[in-house]
Amino acid sequence: MMEIDFLKNKGNLESLVAEKGKQSLLLHACCAPCSSSVIETLLPFFHITVFFFNPNIYPREEFFRRLSELEIFLPRAFPEVKLIAAGENFHDNEIFAEKNTGYNVSFNEILGKFSEEREGGKRCENCFYSRMMPTALLAERAKFPFWTTTLSVSPHKNADLINRIGMEIQNAAGFGETTRFLPANFKKNDGFKRSLELSREYGLYRQNYCGCLFSKRKAEDRSKNERPATEASSYRLC
Ligand code: SF4
């Protein structure tokens, strides 16, 4: 298995491309700003298909807004990148997962169980898992040799945790060599900064909360006590 954080060990991927040509990768993505710099980083190595699978996003209007932005952004910035969207709201995502991967995700259950958790705790860990597991299963079924997620590009997200979940899914699911998780910390090497630049360049909608009801409430509380925000702090990559 590749060393944790492929950005530290790009030589592996350069050798892979030299030996086998570009491989296909299924990239879980939660919004256009998160996807922007991650796609730019991965594109020299992979044929990318973006998978928008986010039953965590609340409310429905926000879910649809983030999806629409991605549908407009990708053909403009990266026309060679394909997009699979699991539906037009979080309930559709759950149905999609069950139908196409056999995985039964209930985000309301996660929220119910872990509603008191701080951001970054058990609720988020389960939220990552509930989005990464269907991505892995779809990658396996649709024969993508690689899969990964954009989540680590956010400065608010713990890349070690995301990579640990990815490796656990990979090992527990017994995919063998059919599909492999690509560990990375996409915020490194100015990945987050680059996402700001690309978001500005393409005039992307930038949300001010991560996605779920609780993160939305937190953002509303923050804005009540707000000092003038810097650009980087005024929105949240999800
Ligand atoms: S804060 Fe973000 S990562 Fe955590 S549970 Fe809510 S949507 Fe998921």
Side-chain angles (χ1 to χ4, degrees):
M1 181 57 68
M2 216 159 278
E3 183 183 311
I4 284 285
D5 195 347
F6 97 93
L7 295 176
K8 276 194 201 151
N9 200 2
K10 273 191 185 170
N12 277 347
L13 292 175
E14 280 155 9
S15 315
L16 186 75
V17 174
E19 194 190 324
K20 296 189 171 176
K22 277 194 188 186
Q23 303 280 292
S24 299
L25 173 134
L26 187 64
L27 175 66
H28 166 262
C30 41
C31 66
C34 283
S35 315
S36 63
S37 65
V38 175
I39 293 174
E40 193 176 67
T41 301
L42 292 172
L43 214 44
F45 307 107
F46 296 104
H47 297 297
I48 299 172
T49 297
V50 166
F51 182 39
F52 184 83
F53 180 79
N54 302 294
N56 55 319
I57 299 174
Y58 176 89
R60 183 188 184 282
E61 293 70 29
E62 179 70 17
F63 178 98
F64 190 61
R65 188 167 188 191
R66 293 188 198 183
L67 171 57
S68 310
E69 195 69 357
L70 199 54
E71 285 171 334
I72 294 165
F73 169 65
L74 289 178
R76 283 179 66 208
F78 304 108
E80 64 273 59
V81 172
K82 297 186 193 112
L83 173 66
I84 298 173
E88 292 190 357
N89 62 44
F90 44 81
H91 182 57
D92 288 348
N93 274 223
E94 294 176 357
I95 293 170
F96 178 96
E98 190 147 18
K99 202 165 143 210
N100 291 281
T101 71
Y103 181 74
N104 191 321
V105 53
S106 169
F107 199 74
N108 280 335
E109 209 173 289
I110 294 172
L111 288 184
K113 265 196 209 152
F114 303 109
S115 57
E116 300 306 318
E117 286 278 334
R118 63 176 172 82
E119 188 166 344
K122 281 277 167 212
R123 189 181 71 240
C124 299
E125 190 173 335
N126 280 273
C127 177
F128 298 157
Y129 186 90
S130 75
R131 291 183 281 164
M132 291 168 71
M133 184 55 148
T135 308
L137 291 167
L138 186 63
E140 203 255 345
R141 290 201 177 181
K143 300 195 184 344
F144 284 87
F146 289 91
W147 68 277
T148 193
T149 175
T150 59
L151 289 168
S152 68
V153 77
S154 165
H156 305 285
K157 301 259 184 303
N158 180 339
D160 289 342
L161 173 63
I162 292 162
N163 288 328
R164 178 169 64 71
I165 293 170
M167 298 306 281
E168 276 173 14
I169 290 172
Q170 185 67 35
N171 296 332
F175 294 141
E177 291 294 300
T178 47
T179 188
R180 292 195 293 168
F181 174 64
L182 188 76
N185 184 352
F186 290 111
K187 67 177 95 28
K188 285 208 165 156
N189 303 328
D190 284 336
F192 173 63
K193 186 167 163 250
R194 182 66 185 142
S195 76
L196 291 177
E197 287 165 5
L198 286 166
S199 299
R200 231 181 354 249
E201 185 181 333
Y202 286 91
L204 298 179
Y205 160 62
R206 295 181 286 176
Q207 59 275 355
N208 69 351
Y209 67 102
C210 181
C212 66
L213 172 64
F214 294 100
S215 58
K216 186 172 186 328
R217 284 186 186 152
K218 261 252 152 26
E220 285 161 1
D221 288 347
R222 265 198 315 269
S223 69
K224 281 183 205 148
N225 317 304
E226 192 100 297
R227 285 171 300 154
T230 61
E231 184 186 12
S233 69
S234 65
Y235 83 103
R236 292 286 309 264
L237 290 183
C238 44

